[in-house]
Amino acid sequence: MIPGSFSYHRPTTLVDAVKLLWTLGDEARPLAGGHSLVPMMKLRLATPEHLVDLHGIADLKGIRRDGSKVLIGAMTTQHDLLASDEVARSIPILHEAALLIADPQVRYRGTVGGNVANGDPGNDMPALMMTLGATYRLEGPDGGREVAAADYYQGAYFTAIEPGELLASISIPVPPAGHGFAYEKLKRKVGDYATAAAAVVLTMSGGKVATCTIGLTNLSETPLLADAAAKEVIGTGLDAATLKKAAAAAEAIMAPAADARGPIEYRKHVGGIMVTRALQRAAANAA
Amino acid sequence: MNDMTPTREQRTAALEGMGCKRKRVEDIRFTQGKGNYVDDVKLPGMLHGDFVRSPHPHARVKSIDDSEALKVPGVLAVITAETLKTVNLAWMPTLAGDVQMVLADGKVLFQNQEVAFVVATDRYAADDGINKVKVEYEPLPPLVDPFKSMDPNAPVLREDLAGKTSGAHGPRKHHNHIFEWTVGDKELTDAAFNKAEVTIKEMISYHRTHPSPLETCQCVCSFDKIKGELTIWGTFQAPHVIRTVVALIAKLPEQKIHVIAPDIGGGFGNKVGAYPGYICAAVASIVTGKPVKWVEDRIENLTATSFARDYHMTTEIAATKEGKVTGLRVHVLADHGAFDACADPSKWPAGFFNIVTGSYDFPTAHLAVDGVYTNKAPGGVAYRCSFRVTEAAYCIERAMDILAQKLGMDPAELRLKNFIKPEQFPYHSALGWEYDSGDYGTAMRKAMETVKYAELRKEQEQMRAAFKRGETREIMGIGVSFFTEIVGAGPSKNCDILGIAMFDSCEIRMHPTGAGIARMGTKSQGQGHETTWAQIIATEIGIPADNIMVEEGNTDTAPYGLGTYGSRSTPVAGAAIAMAARKIRAKAQMIAAYKLEVHEDDLEWDIDGFRVKGLPGKFMSMKDICWAAYNSVPPGMEPGLEAVSYYDPPNMTYPFGAYICVMTIDVDTGVYKVRRFYALDDCGTRINPMIIEGQVHGGLTEAFAIAMGQEIRYDAEGNVVTGSFMDFFMPTAVETPHWETDFTVTPSPHHPIGAKGVGESPNVGGVPAFSNAVNDAFSFLGSTHIQMPHDFWRNWAAAKSLGVFASA
Ligand SMILES: Cc1cc2nc3c(=O)[nH]c(=O)nc-3n(C[C@H](O)[C@H](O)[C@H](O)COP(=O)(O)OP(=O)(O)OC[C@H]3O[C@@H](n4cnc5c(N)ncnc54)[C@H](O)[C@@H]3O)c2cc1C
């Protein structure tokens, strides 16, 4: 439980941070809230020689509305998300999900950037970002690029980020007014990652589902979009038979690991139930 | 009498004696972060030690190469079994009569076993050194399942025991067998079963768990070469026992060993025994001549220092059709891991498990316990319980529910029918105990009335019908538990540790100004002794509790005692305190008689002093007597006012209680909700009701954790998979249910103040209440017994196996 030795850097501009990461190479890791990285270092599962602390870069923090989008800086904490009126008003599902991340202590330090950049299948924000159609702004030695959240995750802790690159901000298209939303998360206790979780964003028209996106957390190596399940519900009033079909379609793409949260069969089963409950609740709170 | 004279009530209240909800005096420092724990001990030149641990559950150690480790800046020494052999300390005795490797000697027998001890100038360097020690292992087949440990071809775990056909507790049947312990009349019990109208039989497992105090085990050892003295600051529940163990195994004169247990952040049985870290730190200090600190981390605590339980109890009850129990037969398979490191009194290899007849009048019973070795961490300690009493209570309380189900009787009614009656006390149980006092029916009925038991059963019936009609996916369970504990080890006639009788002690010194200091052989780890011990003294000698300082944990100043565990502090040390106080009062009476110029027999005790009988105005306060003790004692009397008492209890005490848990379970997810938890405790005389309530809250929270998920789990290859609080269920305030507490008072007839002890009751009684609630919820679907822990996925699995999803 004692990390190896490392040197510590605290750049004050994004450019300097990228330069540092590029020149220090593989042995350097960005440090955000440290809630994932530091425990890995304590177990010596990660032994970076250099930590590049991003807390000194003012530009990386903040939430702002830009037309039909909300921009969130990578170093914005989960607590900041909860404190933001903009988020509560225009992307209420983010507010709901952030409240389900551990406890206030964790949320004061855990950052949105670290949460989505890491590629940990247990993190809640990645599936939400996919569900919301977000894109990530990556800054690297050769300039910046945009990657859709849906294209970012390649495997557990494997992402589209290249050496020397930093995730600078997240851009989220604001869902239409009157949309329905729900994030259903089953966990064993406060501070635990999801046994299974499902995000739903939908719109209703004349009592029927008009559009629908479903995201899944911790039910595979990467966050998932349950497209087939979403297709099942479009045009329906979410009757029992449809919900059953949707849950089955979602379960079909789940590939969770067996762990202390339960065997595979259980995690898939409750994954289906989270989808069902999220659909029902989202439909109920849609205008 | 003028208005200024305090009333008798005011004088009593001013003492803050027994029965007062006195605020905890220790909290003044704890709540300000000013406690002084072992890790706060920082000595000049202090070194740090840490362990290289085995990744394998069972392997031969081919070689250990420390050459690279010794090159790490700051690393000073790497200690291995070979080093320890030079001082004859490669193995150490356990309290259970076994021996245990301090560092791997030729073999490792469980994952995370201590292999080498790296000593360095700081904790970071020590860990860097650990990563550079190269150990070559040859893996051996692991033995994980205790039920396979005595297979003819099971791997041989303990090569050191080769050819030993008997151990500390009699004959061994197999190379992985530790002991067999039998109690009771087999013939009579078999006969009861042969003619029984109804019998039940179930294998009831109490899974492996861990006491997991928030402060882990740790020590600082400092050897003074010039004086030849060893000082050890450590997380010790029993500091004197540690001193004696060190004297015996390190061959140091006992007066040159100073053991100091400072503030302790929870023990729960984890801090009774001796661990390799203590030995290694002591040896390292002797070798280097510098103080050496060892602080266990969370993973080490959960995976290497003592676990609790792992008892597999095949339980049978014989009964009449009307539900009168006629016999109990229990066979236990006890998994001790790689070494038998129980911390039980010496003659009790399965602790006091023979309390398994519980609160019921069994005419006959028979018990057999087989202890076995497996490739798991050694133990098992008494996790907030008096030596296997928790296992016993769970066993009988679960079995009584199973019997009720078979008889079609209400489980509460079955209990009421079979209780030992008040007039039967002192009661001699079929398995050899003498229960001191109890009034079970009153407690049970009070519990049932408070929760409106009959109405709950009606509601449950309606919910079950609705479930069957498909109107709800929730099922409701009502868990009843009525436990009898046996605590206060214990009488010298049957309890010792390493040959030392399990008395306890108190020394009180009164100062001239009416204040005093009291020292005991016990050691609080959060129980609030500094508060409650002073309250006993306050009531006994009429000096305000605030004027009594309580000190524990320093073996140089405290009288010898056996420490705090097994709810023994109040039954044993609490009695010693009262007895020492009474000696003070007896001397005070002589002084008062002299000063008031009357005969001693003409005085009567009155709250805070002595009064001449029939002359209310002639009174001498205890405060004034203290002063007089230092200047005007009767001729021939020694000055001063102090007393020591060593108390050897005549019997154990038998606290009891009635707990009821109401729970709902969502069958689709297995998620449960505890709707209500009511706990009635009878611990005899209540010293501080607020502290009792706090103890009950804490113990119930542990019981909740254990029953609902807290487990040390191994996979089939012997890897321990629950090494952190992410997977080892430690409930937060959010998960923890609301507790309702209540009480009855049935004093212990043989204890000087009638107190019985309460610290462990809630853990003992709580676990069966939770488990019975879960089992009760599922029973109408056709199940008789579902094993703990009842976490979400297992509840779902139970629902599934009962066909709940078949038609869905
Ligand atoms: C007890 C506990 C419970 C938790 N429960 C949950 C939960 O239920 N759900 C949940 O979603 N999260 C949970 N978390 C995670 C936490 O909320 C953080 O979001 C998460 O740990 C990562 O954020 P961080 O800021 O701490 O990142 P760090 O730990 O600092 O970084 C994580 C990884 O991302 C890299 N990184 C960080 N920032 C960037 C960047 N801008 N660009 C590129 N790479 C970057 C780092 O190098 C590192 O590899 C929990 C954490 C704890 C300690």
Side-chain angles (χ1 to χ4, degrees):
Chain A
M1 294 286 265
I2 303 284
S5 59
F6 54 84
S7 28
Y8 174 82
H9 308 264
R10 194 179 167 101
T12 51
T13 67
L14 189 55
V15 175
D16 285 350
V18 169
K19 206 184 286 166
L20 265 170
L21 284 171
W22 179 244
T23 46
L24 297 170
D26 272 357
E27 297 307 331
R29 290 282 283 275
L31 174 71
H35 271 324
S36 295
L37 185 54
V38 174
M40 301 263 275
M41 289 168 61
K42 284 186 171 182
L43 295 170
R44 302 208 180 197
L45 293 172
T47 49
E49 280 172 23
H50 301 275
L51 285 186
V52 180
D53 187 347
L54 306 180
H55 281 93
I57 308 170
D59 289 354
L60 286 180
K61 216 167 148 72
I63 298 168
R64 117 187 119 79
R65 176 81 178 230
D66 179 13
S68 63
K69 299 206 156 105
V70 169
L71 296 182
I72 302 176
M75 290 299 287
T76 307
T77 64
Q78 285 132 20
H79 170 77
D80 297 333
L81 277 189
L82 289 173
S84 157
D85 291 339
E86 183 61 52
V87 170
R89 195 167 44 237
S90 50
I91 323 175
I93 192 171
L94 267 192
H95 186 95
E96 177 176 319
L99 263 183
L100 295 173
I101 294 177
D103 48 53
Q105 263 180 310
V106 168
R107 299 195 291 257
Y108 284 134
R109 275 203 81 79
T111 67
V112 185
N115 196 298
V116 301
N118 200 17
D120 181 338
N123 283 348
D124 292 301
M125 291 293 161
L128 281 161
M129 295 306 169
M130 285 167 60
T131 306
L132 291 163
T135 49
Y136 302 154
R137 173 83 190 165
L138 306 181
E139 296 289 348
D142 308 323
R145 59 181 179 126
E146 309 275 335
V147 177
D151 298 329
Y152 183 80
Y153 302 99
Q154 300 172 341
Y157 305 100
F158 280 100
T159 66
I161 208 158
E162 295 289 340
E165 275 185 328
L166 261 180
L167 193 150
S169 66
I170 301 163
S171 162
I172 308 172
V174 172
H179 73 280
F181 65 91
Y183 190 61
E184 284 286 338
K185 176 177 177 183
L186 178 67
K187 56 180 174 177
R188 296 171 297 180
K189 60 173 268 192
V190 164
D192 191 20
Y193 291 87
T195 302
V200 167
V201 174
L202 52 67
T203 55
M204 301 290 285
S205 163
K208 303 249 146 98
V209 178
T211 63
C212 178
T213 320
I214 303 174
L216 305 173
T217 294
N218 219 11
L219 288 163
S220 179
E221 287 233 305
T222 64
L224 296 174
L225 279 180
D227 290 330
K231 251 190 218 121
E232 291 286 355
V233 300
I234 291 187
T236 75
L238 291 176
D239 54 285
T242 303
L243 286 171
K244 222 164 144 179
K245 272 194 257 173
E251 283 179 49
I253 60 164
M254 296 174 193
D259 62 13
R261 296 176 183 86
I264 292 169
E265 193 192 353
Y266 171 70
R267 296 189 61 188
K268 286 170 75 163
H269 173 84
V270 290
I273 289 173
M274 293 304 109
V275 168
T276 309
R277 290 183 183 174
L279 281 168
Q280 284 172 314
R281 196 153 59 79
N285 69 27
Chain B
M1 236 186 256
N2 66 38
D3 288 344
M4 300 301 285
T5 311
T7 63
R8 304 195 78 238
E9 287 71 26
Q10 284 167 334
R11 282 163 57 208
T12 305
L15 297 178
E16 295 195 277
M18 284 194 274
C20 168
K21 294 185 181 176
R22 183 178 185 224
K23 285 200 176 144
R24 290 176 22 123
V25 292
E26 41 275 86
D27 287 350
I28 294 167
R29 62 179 189 276
F30 292 150
T31 55
Q32 297 182 69
K34 300 288 186 207
N36 181 40
Y37 298 89
V38 173
D39 203 24
D40 295 319
V41 175
K42 295 187 173 87
L43 303 177
M46 187 172 76
L47 306 176
H48 297 256
D50 207 348
F51 284 109
V52 176
R53 291 178 181 274
S54 168
H56 301 285
H58 193 195
R60 216 166 280 295
V61 178
K62 308 287 283 183
S63 65
I64 300 175
D65 176 0
D66 61 10
S67 53
E68 289 302 310
L70 288 169
K71 288 183 196 153
V72 172
V75 172
L76 300 178
V78 178
I79 294 173
T80 64
E82 295 311 313
T83 330
L84 294 178
K85 277 179 189 169
T86 62
V87 285
N88 212 11
L89 282 174
W91 292 69
M92 62 178 180
T94 72
L95 296 178
D98 197 358
V99 288
Q100 176 177 353
M101 288 180 205
V102 175
L103 290 170
D105 184 13
K107 249 181 129 178
V108 287
L109 290 166
F110 64 96
Q111 192 177 55
N112 279 2
Q113 185 178 334
E114 300 81 0
V115 174
F117 191 69
V118 176
V119 186
T121 47
D122 63 62
R123 187 81 196 267
Y124 291 87
D127 260 40
D128 289 344
I130 283 168
N131 282 281
K132 296 285 185 194
V133 175
K134 288 200 195 78
V135 186
E136 196 191 331
Y137 297 97
E138 176 194 317
L140 297 168
L143 173 60
V144 182
D145 181 354
F147 286 92
K148 296 195 176 129
S149 60
M150 292 207 279
D151 284 357
N153 55 354
V156 177
L157 306 193
R158 293 287 300 277
E159 287 167 357
D160 61 300
L161 299 179
K164 290 205 173 145
T165 52
S166 74
H169 305 287
R172 297 170 66 224
K173 296 187 265 200
H174 181 278
H175 54 256
N176 293 327
H177 186 237
I178 310 171
F179 63 84
E180 182 185 19
W181 188 60
T182 58
V183 195
D185 190 326
K186 185 163 178 350
E187 245 169 75
L188 212 60
T189 307
D190 288 349
F193 275 86
N194 289 338
K195 57 173 193 266
E197 293 170 353
V198 182
T199 61
I200 59 119
K201 179 173 184 176
E202 191 66 55
M203 208 290 285
I204 298 167
S205 274
Y206 198 135
H207 57 284
R208 184 175 275 240
T209 179
H210 196 282
S212 52
L214 283 189
E215 179 203 34
T216 58
C217 298
Q218 34 200 275
C219 69
V220 176
C221 295
S222 181
F223 186 67
D224 182 328
K225 275 193 177 160
I226 310 293
K227 293 190 193 157
E229 293 183 11
L230 178 64
T231 307
I232 307 176
W233 290 261
T235 47
F236 304 136
Q237 292 182 231
H240 284 98
V241 175
I242 294 285
R243 188 183 72 192
T244 302
V245 169
V246 173
L248 291 174
I249 68 175
K251 309 268 186 303
L252 281 171
E254 196 164 351
Q255 83 279 11
K256 294 201 171 187
I257 306 164
H258 315 287
V259 176
I260 301 164
D263 286 330
I264 297 185
F268 313 115
N270 188 218
K271 294 170 179 169
V272 175
Y275 295 116
Y278 307 158
I279 309 274
C280 290
V283 170
S285 178
I286 292 169
V287 168
T288 60
K290 299 248 172 76
V292 176
K293 180 183 268 189
W294 170 68
V295 174
E296 190 186 47
D297 70 26
R298 181 62 53 199
I299 298 174
E300 294 175 298
N301 181 255
L302 284 174
T303 62
T305 46
S306 295
F307 77 93
R309 329 282 201 248
D310 219 337
Y311 253 38
H312 308 280
M313 310 172 284
T314 303
T315 312
E316 295 171 88
I317 300 180
T320 66
K321 285 198 299 276
E322 289 74 38
K324 198 88 186 81
V325 296
T326 57
L328 175 70
R329 200 156 56 189
V330 183
H331 177 266
V332 181
L333 183 68
D335 183 344
H336 286 263
F339 309 97
D340 184 358
C342 275
D344 295 334
S346 303
K347 294 184 204 81
W348 302 88
F352 305 151
F353 189 84
N354 55 331
I355 192 74
V356 69
T357 50
S359 317
Y360 314 107
D361 188 11
F362 277 96
T364 179
H366 186 255
L367 162 68
V369 183
D370 278 301
V372 296
Y373 293 120
T374 57
N375 288 119
K376 298 187 217 164
V381 298
Y383 170 7
R384 204 176 189 145
C385 99
S386 173
F387 316 118
R388 305 294 185 182
V389 174
T390 311
E391 291 89 324
Y394 181 62
C395 176
I396 187 64
E397 286 309 291
R398 196 70 271 291
M400 287 301 273
D401 263 28
I402 294 168
L403 177 63
Q405 191 183 356
K406 179 135 185 191
L407 291 163
M409 253 175 100
D410 182 90
E413 194 192 318
L414 178 71
R415 284 171 170 81
L416 283 165
K417 189 164 203 155
N418 287 289
F419 279 151
I420 300 159
K421 308 264 173 315
E423 60 274 17
Q424 286 176 278
F425 291 92
Y427 172 81
H428 293 266
S429 79
L431 292 177
W433 293 115
E434 185 189 310
Y435 292 32
D436 59 350
S437 63
D439 182 356
Y440 299 162
T442 301
M444 185 76 212
R445 276 185 291 270
K446 185 173 183 189
M448 290 168 73
E449 277 156 30
T450 313
V451 301
K452 299 199 174 70
Y453 184 75
E455 283 174 36
L456 286 171
R457 284 289 174 203
K458 259 186 226 136
E459 183 189 345
Q460 182 185 41
E461 218 170 279
Q462 286 161 4
M463 230 170 131
R464 286 174 168 180
F467 183 86
K468 288 197 163 151
R469 290 193 302 269
E471 292 163 13
T472 177
R473 298 295 284 166
E474 278 196 342
I475 55 178
M476 173 179 169
I478 304 162
V480 176
S481 152
F482 197 100
F483 65 94
T484 293
E485 262 208 293
I486 170 169
V487 307
S492 58
K493 60 178 184 268
N494 49 17
C495 291
D496 72 274
I497 283 185
L498 300 173
I500 297 166
M502 292 182 74
F503 58 82
D504 226 290
S505 60
C506 171
E507 181 205 276
I508 303 173
R509 282 189 203 167
M510 297 310 297
H511 308 321
T513 56
I517 180 166
R519 296 181 168 118
M520 293 83 188
T522 46
K523 175 61 208 169
S524 178
Q525 310 120 43
Q527 290 89 339
H529 289 176
E530 288 168 50
T531 308
T532 46
W533 291 165
Q535 289 182 260
I536 298 176
I537 296 169
T539 295
E540 291 288 342
I541 67 168
I543 290 289
D546 275 350
N547 291 359
I548 304 291
M549 187 168 99
V550 170
E551 196 188 87
E552 299 176 316
N554 184 335
T555 55
D556 284 345
T557 53
Y560 203 107
L562 276 282
T564 294
Y565 43 87
S567 282
R568 66 185 300 281
S569 296
T570 295
V572 192
I577 294 162
M579 298 311 267
R582 286 172 195 182
K583 288 184 190 176
I584 299 255
R585 201 165 91 185
K587 182 170 181 182
Q589 187 164 2
M590 291 192 253
I591 296 171
Y594 175 67
K595 300 289 286 183
L596 294 168
E597 299 175 337
V598 293
H599 190 274
E600 268 172 69
D601 293 346
D602 295 329
L603 291 177
E604 61 186 2
W605 177 252
D606 182 25
I607 300 171
D608 49 10
F610 285 99
R611 185 180 305 285
V612 180
K613 286 179 196 163
L615 287 174
K618 282 199 98 182
F619 178 81
M620 189 170 186
S621 72
M622 196 65 191
K623 184 170 192 278
D624 292 341
I625 297 171
C626 286
W627 186 257
Y630 287 88
N631 55 35
S632 46
V633 293
M637 180 187 271
E638 289 179 11
L641 194 55
E642 36 182 281
V644 184
S645 170
Y646 279 72
Y647 187 81
D648 179 7
N651 190 6
M652 309 278 186
T653 62
Y654 297 77
F656 57 91
Y659 292 180
I660 297 177
C661 170
V662 186
M663 191 187 288
T664 55
I665 302 170
D666 170 358
V667 292
D668 288 325
T669 56
V671 174
Y672 54 79
K673 270 203 199 82
V674 178
R675 257 176 51 179
R676 187 163 189 189
F677 198 102
Y678 169 87
L680 178 150
D681 276 284
D682 191 321
C683 58
T685 303
R686 292 155 54 84
I687 300 165
N688 182 331
M690 184 195 70
I691 286 203
I692 291 174
E693 197 178 25
Q695 290 286 306
V696 173
H697 283 195
L700 287 176
T701 304
E702 287 175 338
F704 164 69
I706 295 167
M708 306 315 285
Q710 191 176 80
E711 181 188 19
I712 295 289
R713 201 152 57 87
Y714 287 79
D715 67 15
E717 285 74 49
N719 302 299
V720 54
V721 298
T722 44
S724 80
F725 284 162
M726 192 57 98
D727 287 321
F728 181 83
F729 180 45
M730 181 62 80
T732 71
V734 177
E735 291 79 40
T736 303
H738 173 72
W739 310 119
E740 294 170 57
T741 58
D742 203 347
F743 62 96
T744 55
V745 177
T746 314
S748 168
H750 64 75
H751 188 280
I753 58 170
K756 287 188 167 186
V758 77
E760 301 168 334
S761 299
N763 193 320
V764 171
V767 171
F770 284 109
S771 184
N772 280 346
V774 173
N775 275 285
D776 183 62
F778 282 108
S779 63
F780 79 114
L781 297 168
S783 84
T784 49
H785 178 66
I786 300 162
Q787 301 290 13
M788 289 195 291
H790 305 293
D791 46 5
F792 297 160
W793 79 262
R794 287 181 174 96
N795 288 340
W796 166 83
K800 184 166 177 273
S801 72
L802 293 168
V804 164
F805 305 111
S807 59

